[in-house]
Amino acid sequence: MKYQSQRVAYWYFLAAMTLFGIQVLGGLLAGWVYVSPNFLAEILPFNVIRMIHTNSLIVWLLLGFFGAAYYLVPEEAEREVFSVKLAYLQLIILLVGTLGAVGSYLVGIHGGREFLEQPLWVKFGILVAAVIFLVNISLTVLAGRKTAITNILLMGLWLLCLLWVFAFINPDNLSLDKMYWWMVVHLWVEATWELVMAAILGYLMLKLTGVDREVVEKWLYVIVATALFSGILGTGHHFYWIGTPGYWQWIGSIFSTFEVIPFFAMMSFAFVMVWKGRKNHPNKAALLWSLGASTVAFFGAGVWGFLHTLHGVNFYTHGTQITAAHGHLAFYGAYVALNLAMFSYAMPVLRERAPYNQVLNMASFWLMTGGMAFMTFVLTFAGTIQTHMQRIVGEYYMVVQDQLGLFYLMRFGAGAAVVLGALLFIYSQFVVRREVVKPGPVAVPGE
Ligand code: HEM
Ligand code: HEM
Ligand SMILES: [Fe+2]
């Protein structure tokens, strides 16, 4: 660790990994309800489990991003974080808000807008934490060296915090309500978070492959430009059926098709950097997660996103298991795996453990990624059948659901593999010992 204040990141990562465990366990529970519908129905209804699953996902990913910023900004800016105290205060506010949200869901209090169900006071807490973060990290960057990585990271984080304001706007008109809602949900994952992803990926590539900074920066500019160009008007792919004018069908279809480009560019970027890089960094696990993240993001967001983004297709697939298949693989590849890449890179440094044994970490990559891939295939098959029977044949929703039991059982199996992988990952970060470096053959003089 070069800068003392980077240590703050450790506590963000720790909190993030705890919530990650809760998130996947919540998913598994929700998956079991699909197999056995009355399971826990009285004490912990499905909608509450689902809220805990999706909200903890978003919160831990954000904690991971904040932690990543506190870790990499000092190195890039070549100075300590402006205020370590503020960074801890921000973390405490976020954790109190999280507990408050979960507590209120458990007693049935929630706002009822998917992903934005938090009670109003929690939303304000998040706003305060976001402001603290922006001030803290911006003052750090402004006082130090400015790099493309920190500029893009900051731009992404500023915009995503600003978009949070739309979470407070909830008009009575249902179409407007949905429009504002998507301005948070879509403009996060398909615009601002992409900038954060590009910046973190750029930092990891710089460290892991030893490629020149100028090369990394050129790629980053292309990724950021294509992400914003496509992602902003791409929001239109959520405006097809919410009561907005018909031209959104064309705007959404055309611009969201371009959204594939930045994800393709990020995947190409990662592989080209590894190919061109001269450095043989010992942290192979972080490299595996980085390459895995950009590849799975391309498939989950790019390929599975394009699958249902044209309005002629979406007319049939809207809100089916196809959507869930895409949502899972896209979130996993782009943001879960990317965060785990950052943890894999930073944790051994923060815990002064390098070089450490990476076998379990890499095994967890294959277990989790294999599980998510299988879950995606299963849900895609289920969604195809659902689309056909419900939207083309015209059977009732529940009649169709009854036919899909086998798929939901398989989804549960895939989910169990993901949970095992996640627990293995957490274990590998905390419990694993240092690698025993075997002494090499000793050169005998004169030989
Ligand atoms: C890191 C891995 C995971 C991520 C990123 C993730 C993400 C998500 C997202 C974004 C949603 C909302 C989907 C939508 O609205 O289309 C969701 C719902 C759900 N997830 Fe996960 N999830 C993960 C792991 C799991 C696991 C391990 C299971 C276990 C089977 C699971 C089961 C579910 C279920 C049952 C729902 C509710 C679907 C519905 O309402 O029909 N998830 N998850
Ligand atoms: C990492 C980036 C992405 C993430 C995390 C993500 C995640 C999600 C999630 C969770 C949903 C379900 C939302 C809901 O209805 O509650 C969704 C819907 C959708 N996504 Fe993405 N997505 C990403 C990128 C993309 C891209 C690049 C495309 C197009 C090429 C796309 C196309 C769509 C479409 C068309 C829907 C609406 C599905 C429906 O009508 O039910 N997504 N996405
Ligand atoms: Fe979208």
Short mmCIF file of all heavy atoms in Angstrom, two decimals, residues 182 185-187 189-190 231 234-238 256 259 309 326, ligand 3:
data_model
loop_
_atom_site.label_atom_id
_atom_site.label_comp_id
_atom_site.label_asym_id
_atom_site.label_seq_id
_atom_site.Cartn_x
_atom_site.Cartn_y
_atom_site.Cartn_z
N TRP A 182 -36.82 4.85 -15.05
CA TRP A 182 -35.79 4.32 -15.96
C TRP A 182 -34.58 5.23 -16.05
O TRP A 182 -33.47 4.82 -16.37
CB TRP A 182 -36.36 4.08 -17.36
CG TRP A 182 -37.15 2.80 -17.44
CD1 TRP A 182 -38.49 2.67 -17.65
CD2 TRP A 182 -36.65 1.46 -17.28
NE1 TRP A 182 -38.86 1.34 -17.64
CE2 TRP A 182 -37.75 0.58 -17.41
CE3 TRP A 182 -35.38 0.92 -17.03
CZ2 TRP A 182 -37.62 -0.80 -17.32
CZ3 TRP A 182 -35.25 -0.46 -16.94
CH2 TRP A 182 -36.36 -1.30 -17.08
N VAL A 185 -32.62 3.69 -13.30
CA VAL A 185 -32.23 2.30 -13.50
C VAL A 185 -31.44 2.11 -14.80
O VAL A 185 -30.33 1.55 -14.79
CB VAL A 185 -33.48 1.39 -13.44
CG1 VAL A 185 -33.10 -0.05 -13.70
CG2 VAL A 185 -34.15 1.51 -12.07
N HIS A 186 -31.95 2.60 -15.90
CA HIS A 186 -31.25 2.40 -17.18
C HIS A 186 -30.00 3.28 -17.27
O HIS A 186 -28.93 2.80 -17.62
CB HIS A 186 -32.18 2.67 -18.37
CG HIS A 186 -31.45 2.73 -19.67
ND1 HIS A 186 -31.42 1.68 -20.57
CD2 HIS A 186 -30.69 3.70 -20.23
CE1 HIS A 186 -30.68 2.02 -21.61
NE2 HIS A 186 -30.22 3.24 -21.44
N LEU A 187 -30.15 4.58 -16.94
CA LEU A 187 -28.99 5.46 -17.11
C LEU A 187 -27.87 5.16 -16.11
O LEU A 187 -26.75 5.62 -16.27
CB LEU A 187 -29.40 6.93 -17.03
CG LEU A 187 -30.20 7.42 -18.25
CD1 LEU A 187 -30.57 8.89 -18.10
CD2 LEU A 187 -29.42 7.22 -19.55
N VAL A 189 -27.00 1.64 -15.24
CA VAL A 189 -26.24 0.48 -15.73
C VAL A 189 -25.81 0.61 -17.19
O VAL A 189 -24.88 -0.03 -17.62
CB VAL A 189 -26.99 -0.85 -15.51
CG1 VAL A 189 -27.22 -1.09 -14.03
CG2 VAL A 189 -28.28 -0.93 -16.30
N GLU A 190 -26.51 1.43 -17.98
CA GLU A 190 -26.16 1.50 -19.40
C GLU A 190 -25.56 2.85 -19.78
O GLU A 190 -25.55 3.20 -20.96
CB GLU A 190 -27.39 1.15 -20.25
CG GLU A 190 -27.69 -0.33 -20.21
CD GLU A 190 -29.12 -0.65 -20.60
OE1 GLU A 190 -29.41 -0.56 -21.80
OE2 GLU A 190 -29.93 -0.98 -19.72
N GLY A 231 -25.99 4.98 -24.99
CA GLY A 231 -26.74 4.66 -23.77
C GLY A 231 -27.84 5.66 -23.43
O GLY A 231 -28.89 5.29 -22.91
N GLY A 234 -30.59 5.29 -25.82
CA GLY A 234 -30.95 3.87 -25.69
C GLY A 234 -32.01 3.65 -24.62
O GLY A 234 -32.70 2.62 -24.62
N THR A 235 -32.18 4.60 -23.69
CA THR A 235 -33.24 4.49 -22.67
C THR A 235 -34.58 4.23 -23.34
O THR A 235 -35.47 3.64 -22.73
CB THR A 235 -33.36 5.82 -21.86
OG1 THR A 235 -32.06 6.34 -21.63
CG2 THR A 235 -34.05 5.60 -20.55
N GLY A 236 -34.68 4.67 -24.61
CA GLY A 236 -35.92 4.45 -25.36
C GLY A 236 -36.38 3.01 -25.39
O GLY A 236 -37.59 2.76 -25.53
N HIS A 237 -35.46 2.04 -25.22
CA HIS A 237 -35.93 0.64 -25.28
C HIS A 237 -36.79 0.27 -24.07
O HIS A 237 -37.36 -0.82 -24.06
CB HIS A 237 -34.80 -0.36 -25.52
CG HIS A 237 -33.77 -0.49 -24.43
ND1 HIS A 237 -32.63 -1.23 -24.59
CD2 HIS A 237 -33.68 0.05 -23.20
CE1 HIS A 237 -31.90 -1.15 -23.49
NE2 HIS A 237 -32.52 -0.39 -22.63
N HIS A 238 -36.91 1.18 -23.11
CA HIS A 238 -37.85 0.93 -21.99
C HIS A 238 -39.13 1.76 -22.14
O HIS A 238 -40.00 1.70 -21.28
CB HIS A 238 -37.18 1.27 -20.66
CG HIS A 238 -35.92 0.50 -20.43
ND1 HIS A 238 -35.92 -0.87 -20.23
CD2 HIS A 238 -34.62 0.88 -20.40
CE1 HIS A 238 -34.66 -1.28 -20.07
NE2 HIS A 238 -33.86 -0.24 -20.17
N SER A 256 -30.19 1.66 -28.83
CA SER A 256 -29.78 0.58 -27.93
C SER A 256 -29.02 -0.49 -28.69
O SER A 256 -28.21 -1.22 -28.10
CB SER A 256 -30.97 0.00 -27.17
OG SER A 256 -31.85 -0.67 -28.03
N GLU A 259 -25.55 0.18 -28.31
CA GLU A 259 -25.02 -0.06 -26.96
C GLU A 259 -24.11 -1.28 -26.90
O GLU A 259 -23.34 -1.46 -25.95
CB GLU A 259 -26.17 -0.27 -25.96
CG GLU A 259 -26.86 1.01 -25.55
CD GLU A 259 -27.91 0.75 -24.48
OE1 GLU A 259 -27.70 -0.14 -23.63
OE2 GLU A 259 -28.94 1.42 -24.50
N THR A 309 -33.92 -6.31 -27.66
CA THR A 309 -33.99 -4.86 -27.62
C THR A 309 -34.75 -4.23 -28.79
O THR A 309 -35.21 -3.10 -28.70
CB THR A 309 -32.57 -4.24 -27.49
OG1 THR A 309 -32.68 -3.00 -26.80
CG2 THR A 309 -31.92 -4.00 -28.85
N HIS A 326 -31.27 -12.03 -19.11
CA HIS A 326 -30.39 -10.91 -19.47
C HIS A 326 -29.97 -10.12 -18.23
O HIS A 326 -28.79 -9.82 -18.04
CB HIS A 326 -31.11 -10.01 -20.47
CG HIS A 326 -30.63 -8.59 -20.47
ND1 HIS A 326 -29.38 -8.23 -20.90
CD2 HIS A 326 -31.24 -7.44 -20.07
CE1 HIS A 326 -29.24 -6.92 -20.77
NE2 HIS A 326 -30.35 -6.41 -20.26
FE FE B 3 -31.85 -0.41 -20.62
#
